[in-house]
Amino acid sequence: MTRRFGGRRVLVTGGSRGIGADVAVAFAREGAAVAVNGRSRSDALEDVIRRCEEAGGHGIAAVGDVSDADEAVHVVRTAREQLGGLDVLVNNAGTLDESPLEEMPVEQWDAMVASDLRSVYLCTHEALPGMREQGWGRVVNVTSQLAVKGAPGMAHYSAAKAGVIGFTRSLAREVAAHGVLVNAVAPGPVDTDMTGDLDDEWKQQKTAELPLGRFARVEEITPSVLLLAASPDGDVYVGQTLHPNSGDVMP
Ligand SMILES: NC(=O)c1ccc[n+]([C@@H]2O[C@H](COP(=O)([O-])OP(=O)(O)OC[C@H]3O[C@@H](n4cnc5c(N)ncnc54)[C@H](O)[C@@H]3O)[C@@H](O)[C@H]2O)c1
């Protein structure tokens, strides 16, 4: 087995379940030391850390709400201090809910922008100086195909995720010359708890629209994240967004 991430130190936000959990364990399987972020020290978070260890890597918890400025700094510092530095940041944490815009209170808008866009700024802002100093770093932002396609009831989510793509492009131009590459992955529908919470009618309709005829599995998203964090495999991706999306959008 290739161990592309031997010696690398990785932080995955929102890593206690879904895409983030699979990404964390996959990094560990390839030799990385992984800080797994969750909002609290839950059984699910402990389980992902155990799976990282069993996979042959190393796992630690970095607990905190990454949409909160102080807690995001604490999360990144915990990762850096306990792992002895930070090479890869995967900004994966996110939430999803729906509401027609006219029924969407400003609190719901702000909460979405905080969890899905502000968190990306906060964690990257704290992680970046160390990466620049060591002359090597990778930031992979998990956005969504809805940033490109849009969907009724998801103006807040689509706006936040489109913001992540803009952030990715600008920051990539700013820091590539310092050895820090910033890219994004925009999954289509994936079978996780996030989509499990949506209603069955929506899921059936969504499935019918997909050229592939099915949602992706988390382990089909992970390789895109790992590619963008790997050297030399991912070294020419700068400010790009990969689209593992079952063919729903073809940007
Ligand atoms: N599932 C999909 O169909 C899909 C499609 C496109 C994009 N995405 C994106 O992929 C990422 C992961 O989604 P998922 O399907 O695995 O979702 P999920 O709900 O299963 O997992 C998301 C994790 O992030 C955590 N999280 C959310 N906000 C947080 C915060 N402020 N601080 C710390 N942790 C926080 C949650 O507690 C949860 O553990 C999200 O950014 C999501 O928007 C998912």
Side-chain angles (χ1 to χ4, degrees):
M1 186 208 293
T2 53
R3 287 171 70 85
R4 287 181 291 176
F5 296 101
R8 294 283 187 221
R9 299 143 314 174
V10 179
L11 168 61
V12 181
T13 69
S16 58
R17 68 180 202 184
I19 294 168
D22 194 69
V23 165
V25 175
F27 270 114
R29 197 176 297 125
E30 296 207 33
V34 187
V36 187
N37 161 250
R39 268 188 278 221
S40 63
R41 189 141 201 154
S42 60
D43 289 348
L45 183 63
E46 298 296 348
D47 186 55
V48 176
I49 291 165
R50 183 187 52 74
R51 287 168 57 204
C52 287
E53 297 283 340
E54 284 173 3
H58 176 49
I60 63 135
V63 174
D65 176 344
V66 290
S67 68
D68 176 89
D70 292 339
E71 293 193 31
V73 167
H74 169 74
V75 165
V76 176
R77 286 191 183 160
T78 300
R80 199 165 46 223
E81 285 166 17
Q82 292 201 24
L83 302 181
L86 194 60
D87 304 302
V88 178
L89 168 64
V90 181
N91 285 309
N92 165 79
T95 57
L96 180 67
D97 56 27
E98 346 174 33
S99 171
L101 192 77
E102 288 170 54
E103 293 163 24
M104 187 185 295
V106 70
E107 292 79 11
Q108 187 177 2
W109 172 273
D110 285 346
M112 179 60 72
V113 171
S115 67
D116 285 52
L117 178 59
R118 187 174 197 252
S119 63
V120 175
Y121 156 77
L122 289 171
C123 291
T124 310
H125 183 258
E126 181 59 26
L128 200 54
M131 292 180 177
R132 277 180 64 136
E133 209 169 290
Q134 68 193 14
W136 200 95
R138 298 287 181 271
V139 178
V140 183
N141 299 320
V142 181
T143 172
S144 167
Q145 70 158 4
L146 296 183
V148 182
K149 187 178 185 185
M154 296 197 185
H156 56 343
Y157 182 78
S158 300
K161 293 301 198 187
V164 171
I165 294 177
F167 174 93
T168 299
R169 291 176 174 163
S170 286
L171 186 63
R173 291 183 185 278
E174 201 172 304
V175 297
H178 301 281
V180 183
L181 303 186
V182 186
N183 289 288
V185 174
V190 188
D191 266 322
T192 65
D193 291 317
M194 181 178 271
T195 48
D197 291 344
L198 299 169
D199 72 64
D200 286 343
E201 196 186 326
W202 181 88
K203 276 189 273 186
Q204 277 167 14
Q205 195 189 328
K206 191 76 235 173
T207 302
E209 285 171 18
L210 296 173
L212 196 61
R214 65 169 177 83
F215 283 23
R217 298 183 293 273
V218 286
E219 59 271 23
E220 293 174 311
I221 306 305
T222 296
S224 297
V225 176
L226 266 62
L227 170 65
L228 295 173
S231 187
D233 304 3
D235 283 357
V236 291
Y237 292 94
V238 181
Q240 304 298 312
T241 301
L242 300 185
H243 295 272
N245 67 14
S246 305
D248 199 17
V249 188
M250 303 180 188

